[in-house]
Each structure stands twice: as structure tokens, then as C-alpha cells.
Amino acid sequence: MAELKKTPLFDYYQANQVKLVDFGGWAMPMQFSSIIKEHQAVRQSVGMFDCSHMGEILITGPEAETYLNSLVTNDISRMADDDVQYNIICQDDGGAIDDVMVYRFHAEKYWVVCNASNTEKVWQWLKENKKNQHVELENVTQTVGLLAVQGPQAEMVMQTLTTFDLKTLKRHKFSQSLSVGEVANVLVSRTGYTGEDGFELYIPAQETPSVWEQLLKAGTLACGLGSRDTLRLEAGLPLYGHELTETISPIMAGLGFAVKTDKQVAFKGQAALTHQRQAGPVKKIVGFQMLERGIPRQDYLVFSEKGQEIGYVTSGTQSPSLKKGIGMALVDSDQAQNGQQLLIEIRNKKIPAEIIKKPFYKKD
């Protein structure tokens, strides 16, 4: 594992003989107990993920808002202090470089949180596209640990470790300098990637193991990347490299809500995305469920009911909550209507499936 990057919990993993895998160049746990057990903990009670491999880039200066707004699809000018906003960074042709969460501290200070495998790419892109604006960029990834506490009991468990009233923290908002257990200076946002209520905790790197251990004692279950993927898939959430790539634009991915083509500041990819929106994309990401037994996997071919090849699976799994195969696929737009019958090729057999609306899993 010497060549892989290590999160602040690496020593904890070694001490507890947690098996690690290469994920985007990082040594990360796929599971602690079992993917099903961890998945169900997040759906029914509370689980915790080490997300310290995610990248954090600090943007400061008097022109921070305008600079950032010129590089992302959503409208930064609509953000208030302590807001978190979902964004996509695009190339000129509308293809996605990464999808990111933007944190606004104030008008002259922002954080861009990017996917682990894309941190260097985003960092270089931000630097290359800095013209003469009065902004400073700093990659602070190595100094920050990130834990995600997710599930219906997330607030209850977290509240035992902080005096801050978590009920006052609304979805997509954050609060700085909280004390969590014995650790001060924790930034806590009400965000997540599981389809459940929950929080993401940005912690000084050296303090991350302490917060992890305290949260385990408070009743959270340690969860790995395996259940994180099944949870986000049930919630119909895109994963970069699957539903969003340099060739799959946010319009194709069904992420138009985060693309403000009419905002005041011109941004990278605006013309291409405006054209796609007006003309309609040639291909679209859809959600589907299997109608017979079979587990769809990435890159499996998708056919129309008549047997014509129309696309491929971008993500797929056996849903632990729904007990059936579900997935997302990139298909021809004229074959992308809800209720449409499909065939997914699984081990040389074409298995019936149906396009359905996302998310696949909804809370009662």
C-alpha cells in the first residue's frame, strides 16, 4: 500500500486489520462487516463513512465569487453565507470535468469539494483558468479529514457529542467551528450521498481518528465504499466516471437543475449546454429496474424491446432495500421514456427491464 495515498484513518485500519483497496489512488475500505449490513444500518439507523479521500480546494479573494461562477454550471451568486451548492465543472464542449460541492463562507471565501480521483484535474483546471482575477487558490486536501454520518438516527447520535442544536442546521447548510466530542474546529454540513438525512464533518486531519472513535462509541456503524455505492444508486445519484464524464454532459445526465445557462456570468461550457438544452441531447441517462432475476453491471449492453442496441449500463447493482436489480444507463433519447421496456444483456442473455423514475428508493 506504500504507493497509495492514505487517509488520516490509515493507522486505525492497520491496527484493526481492515482490508483496503485501491480507490482513485487511495487506500480505502470496501467494507468493514458486510455491504448489506452497512447498507441497512444507514437506511434504518446510522452509519459512518471515511470520505477523507475527497479533495478540498480553498478559493479566497475579492473576486472569488465571479471567478468561481465563470467555471461552474450553477449560480454562485444565489448562495448565502453557510450555503452548500451542487455544481458541475465543464469543458467548453459541455463535458464534465467533475461534479463538486461548493461551500460559501462569505463573498470572498469558498471551498470546492471534489471527487478523490479528480482532485488533481480540478486543481489544475482552476489554476489554468485563473486569469487576472484577484483570487488565491490553495489545495488543502491533506490537512482535512472528512467523515459522513448518515441515516435516520444521524442527528440523534451526533447530538450526544455536540452542544450545538443540530435541529437548526437545515439541508445544504453548514456551521463552522463546532465541537464534536473532544475535538473543536469541526465544520459540519447537513449533506450526504446516501438518500438519507445526515451530516458531513470536515475535521483537522490529525483529529479525525479521535472523532471517528468517538462516533463509533456513540453508536454509528463503520461503513465502506461498497455500501456507499449501493446507497447512492438506490437514491439515483450520479457517480463521476459513470453517469457523468468528459463525454456525458450534465444535460445528458439529467442534472439540468444545476445548470443555469441564463446566469449573468458566462461560464465554461455554457454555449454547448445551452444548445443541448434547446435541441435536446442525443442520449440520456435513465433509471431502470430488472423485471426478471439478474444483476446489471457497468458496461452491460442495453437493447430496445425489439432487440436494437440503444446504449449501455453506467451503474448497476442488486438493490439491498428493494431486493431486485436496478441501474442507470445511457440510452438513445428517443428510447428514454418512463415505462419503456428494455433488454439488458447479462451473461449473453437478454433480460427484460423497464425504465422507471428515479430515485429508486423513497422514504415512506
Side-chain angles (χ1 to χ4, degrees):
M1 288 293 175
E3 72 284 1
L4 296 179
K5 296 175 187 169
K6 300 167 184 166
T7 78
L9 292 178
F10 184 80
D11 289 345
Y12 170 89
Y13 297 146
Q14 295 293 90
N16 290 276
Q17 298 180 311
V18 177
K19 186 183 175 186
L20 302 175
V21 298
D22 181 349
F23 184 80
W26 289 79
M28 298 295 291
M30 189 56 68
Q31 63 191 66
F32 290 83
S33 47
S34 81
I35 290 174
I36 299 291
K37 182 180 176 183
E38 293 165 20
H39 181 107
Q40 290 171 339
V42 174
R43 286 279 178 254
Q44 297 163 12
S45 53
V46 59
M48 176 170 55
F49 303 86
D50 177 12
C51 299
S52 304
H53 59 315
M54 302 287 277
E56 291 86 19
I57 296 168
L58 179 64
I59 299 169
T60 55
E63 293 184 89
E65 180 187 299
T66 310
Y67 161 75
L68 197 48
N69 221 4
S70 71
L71 295 176
V72 297
T73 58
N74 214 331
D75 193 348
I76 298 294
S77 70
R78 296 186 187 182
M79 296 180 74
D81 292 357
D82 305 330
D83 272 358
V84 186
Q85 187 188 72
Y86 178 72
N87 267 286
I88 300 111
I89 299 174
C90 288
Q91 305 168 143
D92 286 326
D93 65 2
I97 285 171
D98 198 15
D99 59 338
V100 300
M101 301 300 281
V102 175
Y103 284 64
R104 174 183 157 126
F105 294 80
H106 51 74
E108 297 187 12
K109 181 181 179 183
Y110 294 83
W111 242 7
V112 172
V113 180
C114 42
N115 286 297
S117 58
N118 289 336
T119 301
E120 189 57 32
K121 181 168 68 166
V122 170
W123 172 240
Q124 293 301 328
W125 185 259
L126 292 176
K127 286 197 296 184
E128 285 166 17
N129 288 284
K130 179 176 172 287
K131 305 296 188 290
N132 298 314
Q133 296 109 321
H134 295 292
V135 291
E136 297 296 325
L137 307 177
E138 185 182 358
N139 186 346
V140 295
T141 303
Q142 296 297 331
T143 68
V144 180
L146 172 55
L147 304 179
V149 181
Q150 301 282 297
Q153 292 176 17
E155 183 186 287
M156 182 182 74
V157 169
M158 281 274 297
Q159 197 63 74
T160 65
L161 293 174
T162 183
T163 56
F164 179 86
D165 184 2
L166 292 169
K167 279 191 169 47
T168 65
L169 191 60
K170 302 304 179 190
R171 184 88 179 139
H172 290 122
K173 300 289 283 187
F174 70 92
S175 187
Q176 303 174 55
S177 304
L178 267 67
S179 289
V180 178
E182 298 159 13
V183 177
N185 295 318
V186 179
L187 185 155
V188 177
S189 61
R190 197 158 208 145
T191 50
Y193 190 52
T194 61
E196 297 291 339
D197 184 28
F199 305 90
E200 291 182 305
L201 287 65
Y202 295 85
I203 308 158
Q206 68 276 12
E207 304 281 11
T208 306
S210 171
V211 176
W212 173 267
E213 298 261 21
Q214 290 174 73
L215 281 161
L216 288 178
K217 286 176 188 166
T220 63
L221 183 74
C223 299
L225 295 171
S227 59
R228 188 168 157 84
D229 194 53
T230 55
L231 288 157
R232 72 92 192 169
L233 229 172
E234 286 187 350
L237 298 171
L239 176 62
Y240 189 86
H242 295 249
E243 289 72 46
L244 198 62
T245 68
E246 290 187 6
T247 55
I248 303 175
S249 76
I251 299 295
M252 295 164 71
L255 300 170
F257 69 91
V259 181
K260 304 296 192 294
T261 48
D262 58 351
K263 68 179 179 178
Q264 296 289 306
V265 176
F267 64 94
K268 284 273 185 186
Q270 183 177 17
L273 294 172
T274 301
H275 175 74
Q276 272 187 33
R277 175 169 273 164
Q278 290 169 348
V282 177
K283 290 182 175 289
K284 284 183 183 175
I285 293 287
V286 296
F288 66 86
Q289 63 181 357
M290 301 304 298
L291 298 177
E292 293 179 13
R293 196 169 169 185
I295 303 175
R297 300 291 186 196
Q298 184 184 6
D299 295 331
Y300 284 8
L301 295 179
V302 178
F303 297 83
S304 70
E305 201 173 9
K306 295 177 180 175
Q308 172 194 2
E309 186 180 325
I310 58 168
Y312 64 93
V313 175
T314 53
S315 294
T317 194
Q318 175 74 7
S319 164
S321 302
L322 305 173
K323 307 289 193 290
K324 61 184 170 187
I326 61 168
M328 289 187 267
L330 184 71
V331 301
D332 297 343
S333 292
D334 61 358
Q335 304 280 335
Q337 292 73 36
N338 285 336
Q340 187 143 338
Q341 304 292 296
L342 303 172
L343 296 166
I344 312 292
E345 189 171 78
I346 302 176
R347 296 197 186 93
N348 300 317
K349 288 184 181 175
K350 293 186 174 72
I351 312 293
E354 176 189 23
I355 295 178
I356 59 171
K357 192 177 177 184
K358 299 174 292 187
F360 303 100
Y361 175 84
K362 302 176 188 71
K363 300 296 284 181
D364 295 330

